[in-house]
Structure formats: C-alpha cells, structure tokens
Amino acid sequence: MSSYASLLKTRGVARILSAQLTARFPFGMLSLAFLLHIEHTYESYGVAGLVLAALSIGQAIAGPVTSRLMGVWGMRPVIATTMVICALAITSIALFPMGIAADMAVAFVAGLTMPPIQPAVRTIYPKMVNSKQLTPLFSLDASAQEIIWILGPVVTTFVSIQIGTVWGILLAVAFLVGGGTWFLTSPELGRVRIPRSKRKLGVVLKKPPVLLATIVGFLLVAACAAIEAGVVSTFGEGGVEAGFVLAVFAIGSLVGGLSLGHRPIGPWALARRMAIVFVGTAIAAAWLNVWWLAGTLFLAGIGIAPALAVMFAIVSSSVKFSDTAEAYGWVGTGQLIGAAVGSALAGFLIDGIGSVGAFVVAAALAFVGFLVPLLGKRFHPDLRDRDASPLPDTEPVQTVTA
C-alpha cells in the first residue's frame, strides 16, 4: 500500500487519475443504461441487444482509429470533438423516441465517437513516473477502472430504477462532458506529444502481447456485463438487492486490485487471475440467492483488477512509444465491445431461459478468458526482472571511428 501512497504524491498523478476516471465513467454505465431504457421502451431485451450491437460496432471501428488520430492532430482536438458528438448522440436516444432503426443508427454514431480517453492516459503514464512506479500505477489504475465497469452499473441501476431510465442515460452524459472537460484541461495533456506512428493501422496487433490483452480484455468485460444484466434480471427493476450485489462485486475487484495488482508479473499471471474470475462466476450460477451471489461474485471480483493490470503492463512493455496509443485503442475497443456484447448475449438468454442464462453466458466467457492466456503462455512477457515502460522509438546506431 505504501507504493500506492507514494504514487499519489507524485506530481499530477492524483489529478490525471481522477480526471480520466470521471471522463471514462460513462463507459461502464451506457451498456446497462441502454439495456434498461430500450427494454423499457420496446419491452424486449432482444431489441435492446440490437441497439447495443450497433453501439459496439461503432466502438470497434473508433478505438484504434481515433487513437491514431491523436498522433496526427493531438490529444485535445480529437478528444474534444468526439466528446461533443458522442454526448449529442447519447442524449438523442434518451430524449427522442425515434424507432428501432433510428436508435440503432444513433447508437452507432455514439460508439463511433467515444472519446479515446483510455489510450491517451495510458500513453501519458510512462512520462509521469519512473520505471519502478509504472507497474504499481497500472495496478492502481486498474483498481480505479473497476469503479467504471462495476460501480458504474450500480449507479445506473439505482438512478434508472428509482428515477427513470432517461435520467440514467443523461447522468452518463453529464459524466462524459464534465469528466472530459476536466481531463482536457489537465496540464499533463500539454506536456506529452504522441509521435506520429510510422506503421499501418492494425500492424500493432501483430505483437502477440497486444493481441492477447485485447482478446482477454474483451472476454473479461463481456463476462462482467453479462453478470450485471443477470443480477438486474434476477431481482427485477424494483429490487434494491441488485445494487447491493453489484456493489459487493465492485468491492471484491477493488480488494483484489490493491492487494494483488502490484505483484511481479510472470508468464502465468494473466491465466491465474482469470481462473479466479471463472471459478467465482461459475459457482454463482448455481443459486440465484442474494447472499450466495454476493459471496461468489466477491470471489470473482478479486481477479478482475489484477487481470487488467497485467494486460496494461504487457502491452506497454511490448510496443514502441509511438504505437502505445493505438495499442491501447485496440485493448479499449475490446473491452468496450465486450461490455456491449456481454449485455446483448445475456439479454437474449434472459428472454429465452430466464435470469440464469446470463450467468451461464458469463461463466462461459470467463472460462474462455482463462483458456486464452493459458494456451498462449509463450506470448506473455515475463516482467519479473524488467519494467513495463514502452520501447523507445529510436535505437542506438553503431559508429566507426578511425
């Protein structure tokens, strides 16, 4: 814990961590907010799944593209432009009944213009701290990210149930604009310039650690999203138990992130952490009782933040600085798509076989998320004796002296 305390005392770390967390908070809210709002509007989880699918397609296209654009136009212009368009699109879905096709089209635009906050902040981190502090910073960030993916749906569920689904979406917009503005005005953005990448779009995915982190991140967040949908479906739109269970899920992840996330990262690290998530999720499906779900999901949560910390570190250590934004763009795209796809798959199974279907989906996704790093161990960097800093863009040149 002392390493985290010293990190927060480092100039700018607490500010940029808080700003990016606030700006990215809507990313953990929108999938469930749209799920609840569209289901309430059309009385069908299946239709809600279609809108979420449109959102995820837009996100899939946007992630690496807008990340690369930050190396061409700069971080502030790209983030500001996408933030405004995305906020308008999301607000339109909340306020104007447009029909299924129009809702899907606007959701696609919202996904396409999701501000690239995550790639920006991941690129800034190595320039703010020394090499020994970078892995603990990724761990601290991963713990904070769980507030986004786990606590975000708790807030969304509470507001949507107690006040209305429209207000659940509008709250996400408020976080998007307010947090995005705070992040844009942070001086750290002006101190770091992302170099223009010399490689073609997508080439960075040829780096096995980047591809590994992208796939596992997708599966992990998809499992979380399915769990969230299952919890809400289990206890109904008026059940306060849903908020309690999701809060315990979040606490488990925070505990895991702070206690395990700073440990040395060996080649088995990601598989071990995903195994914890799978075991907790699998046994959760056995009994949809509030206390059983709270206990088993607390266990599952313990592996989430440490797994994310590993993903961030192996990506950073495997690419050049000019490619970090795009690399994290792909990882972020995987996670954002996972949130939408997990909710959509869970929604269809809830319609088909009931609430337990969401937990079956979550367990299956978590199991695949364990198998991928297990079978891909040789692609996992061993960082026990090295730091996670990006590779330099320039290499030493040998000279000949007379």
Side-chain angles (χ1 to χ4, degrees):
M1 299 299 288
S2 60
S3 61
Y4 299 130
S6 63
L7 265 176
L8 293 175
K9 294 178 182 178
T10 303
R11 181 186 177 189
V13 168
R15 177 175 56 241
I16 201 71
L17 188 66
S18 300
Q20 64 91 16
L21 175 64
T22 306
R24 292 169 53 212
F25 201 72
F27 297 174
M29 300 175 66
L30 284 174
S31 292
L32 188 55
F34 279 173
L35 182 72
L36 291 171
H37 180 70
I38 300 300
E39 190 280 331
H40 181 75
T41 302
Y42 298 102
E43 298 183 350
S44 170
Y45 280 103
V47 172
L50 293 176
V51 175
L52 289 173
L55 180 73
S56 69
I57 293 171
Q59 291 170 325
I61 297 171
V65 174
T66 53
S67 298
R68 273 183 79 97
L69 287 176
M70 290 192 295
V72 179
W73 297 337
M75 286 186 280
R76 281 181 171 137
V78 172
I79 293 173
T81 302
T82 54
M83 179 182 71
V84 171
I85 298 173
C86 185
L88 291 174
I90 295 170
T91 302
S92 298
I93 292 177
L95 298 181
F96 306 113
M98 299 177 289
I100 298 173
D103 280 340
M104 290 177 63
V106 176
F108 172 77
V109 173
L112 195 63
T113 55
M114 284 287 182
I117 303 292
Q118 185 185 66
V121 76
R122 298 282 184 274
T123 303
I124 292 171
Y125 281 159
K127 302 299 182 182
M128 296 181 63
V129 299
N130 60 47
S131 59
K132 292 182 180 179
Q133 292 178 308
L134 188 55
T135 297
L137 179 55
F138 281 137
S139 301
L140 183 61
D141 184 276
S143 299
Q145 179 166 294
E146 287 315 296
I147 298 175
I148 297 171
W149 293 115
I150 309 300
L151 191 57
V154 175
V155 174
T156 301
T157 301
F158 177 81
V159 174
S160 297
I161 290 174
Q162 300 300 324
I163 303 177
T165 58
V166 169
W167 289 103
I169 296 176
L170 292 181
L171 180 61
V173 174
F175 275 111
L176 179 69
V177 175
T181 302
W182 184 13
F183 185 73
L184 287 170
T185 56
S186 299
E188 288 74 21
L189 265 72
R191 298 183 187 133
V192 178
R193 178 72 169 87
I194 302 175
R196 186 191 294 260
S197 177
K198 299 177 182 178
R199 297 163 184 80
K200 293 182 179 180
L201 180 68
V203 171
V204 72
L205 283 174
K206 292 183 178 180
K207 295 283 188 179
V210 177
L211 185 60
L212 180 66
T214 301
I215 294 172
V216 178
F218 163 81
L219 293 165
L220 174 60
V221 176
C224 291
I227 288 172
E228 291 151 9
V231 169
V232 172
S233 174
T234 297
F235 300 108
E237 293 192 7
V240 295
E241 297 93 339
F244 168 73
V245 171
L246 292 176
V248 173
F249 192 20
I251 292 170
S253 182
L254 291 172
V255 169
L258 295 176
S259 60
L260 301 176
H262 63 284
R263 293 189 176 184
I265 296 173
W268 295 103
L270 191 52
R272 286 171 177 167
R273 287 154 175 77
M274 288 302 301
I276 297 173
V277 179
F278 164 65
V279 171
T281 304
I283 59 179
W287 187 22
L288 303 188
N289 168 272
V290 59
W291 296 108
W292 177 259
L293 288 176
T296 55
L297 293 182
F298 178 86
L299 173 62
I302 288 175
I304 294 173
L308 290 168
V310 172
M311 294 178 217
F312 303 153
I314 64 175
V315 168
S316 177
S317 66
S318 304
V319 300
K320 293 185 176 182
F321 181 66
S322 60
D323 291 325
T324 53
E326 183 189 342
Y328 284 122
W330 286 109
V331 175
T333 289
Q335 293 176 0
L336 291 167
I337 295 174
V341 171
S343 294
L345 290 175
F348 280 112
L349 263 74
I350 290 170
D351 280 346
I353 64 175
S355 299
V356 70
F359 294 96
V360 172
V361 167
L365 290 166
F367 180 66
V368 178
F370 159 70
L371 285 181
V372 170
L374 180 69
L375 300 177
K377 169 182 169 289
R378 68 182 184 276
F379 303 126
H380 191 301
D382 189 346
L383 302 180
R384 287 175 292 186
D385 296 318
R386 52 175 290 205
D387 65 74
S389 300
L391 304 174
D393 280 280
T394 57
E395 298 178 354
V397 179
Q398 292 183 346
T399 59
V400 179
T401 57

